Amino acid sequence: MGTRLGGGDEWAGTPTATYQVGAAAAAAVWGLSLDRLGRRPTLMLGTVVGAIGAGVAAHAVAHHRLWGFLLGVLLMGMAQSAMQLGRFVAAEVHSAADRGRAISRVVMGATVGAVFGPLAVGPAGRIAERAGLEPLSGPYAVSAVLFVLVTAVLGLFLRPDPGELGRRVESVASAAPAAPRPLSVIFHDPQAALAVAAMVCG
């Protein structure tokens, strides 16, 4: 799309670079927003930005406007950095022992999306072409719809706020007494062995 809208091969990497700039520039803002607004509002704001960006990109591609397309891609990159925080939000609502699995589930879901998402490009392009638009505007329009759906799912089902759940998990973990360890485990602990050796030598 960079080459087609920019009119030369030198524009080929510009959309990807713009996307990455958007993701990097917004990361710190989303991090602050998680603490000040909450987890659910931040994630929802990120997906709203993504929906607007995808809609702008689709409109720009349909009307062959490079700068509008780059603006849309920039906003989509910003949304992506917000969505990346979802794995850490998932981790904080689990106990320390389960956080690795929680993150892996989020990453697995993203991987499935990355594998099967491109399958929608062809059908979306054909729908756009039947509507008399640039076929490559179709995938961006579909992305806008998906961002809107994700926003609705977050607003309806991500309750209570994960930040509140995370604080509950931490309070329960800190209040729970440590489980006693059998002597066989204690004696295999290098620190315990060092302590015993220090006592004997002392």
Side-chain angles (χ1 to χ4, degrees):
M1 286 310 307
T3 298
R4 181 175 299 184
L5 298 179
D9 291 342
E10 65 273 15
W11 292 93
T14 305
T16 301
T18 303
Y19 184 93
Q20 297 298 335
V21 167
V29 176
W30 296 131
L32 291 173
S33 178
L34 283 176
D35 290 330
R36 296 185 179 181
L37 297 180
R39 276 50 168 174
R40 184 177 64 252
T42 297
L43 294 177
M44 290 179 65
L45 183 58
T47 53
V48 167
V49 170
I52 294 172
V56 169
H59 183 271
V61 170
H63 294 84
H64 302 279
R65 294 173 181 169
L66 173 65
W67 297 109
F69 173 66
L70 294 179
L71 173 61
V73 169
L74 181 76
L75 294 175
M76 292 177 71
M78 295 171 66
Q80 176 64 17
S81 64
M83 295 171 65
Q84 289 289 341
L85 294 174
R87 64 189 66 184
F88 303 107
V89 172
E92 73 175 342
V93 299
H94 289 80
S95 64
D98 295 327
R99 284 173 183 165
R101 282 188 291 272
I103 293 175
S104 70
R105 292 188 193 106
V106 176
V107 174
M108 178 63 69
T111 302
V112 171
V115 171
F116 289 99
L119 297 177
V121 171
R126 287 190 290 273
I127 292 172
E129 191 172 19
R130 291 193 194 102
L133 301 174
E134 165 68 46
L136 289 179
S137 68
Y140 292 99
V142 170
S143 295
V145 172
L146 292 176
F147 272 120
V148 170
L149 290 176
V150 171
T151 303
V153 169
L154 291 174
L156 292 173
F157 300 108
L158 194 62
R159 295 177 181 275
D161 190 89
E164 180 182 340
L165 287 178
R167 287 188 289 273
R168 293 181 191 173
V169 170
E170 287 299 324
S171 64
V172 170
S174 61
R181 295 187 299 169
L183 288 177
S184 59
V185 174
I186 295 174
F187 287 143
H188 282 87
D189 188 329
Q191 293 181 344
L194 181 62
V196 171
M199 291 177 61
V200 172
C201 293

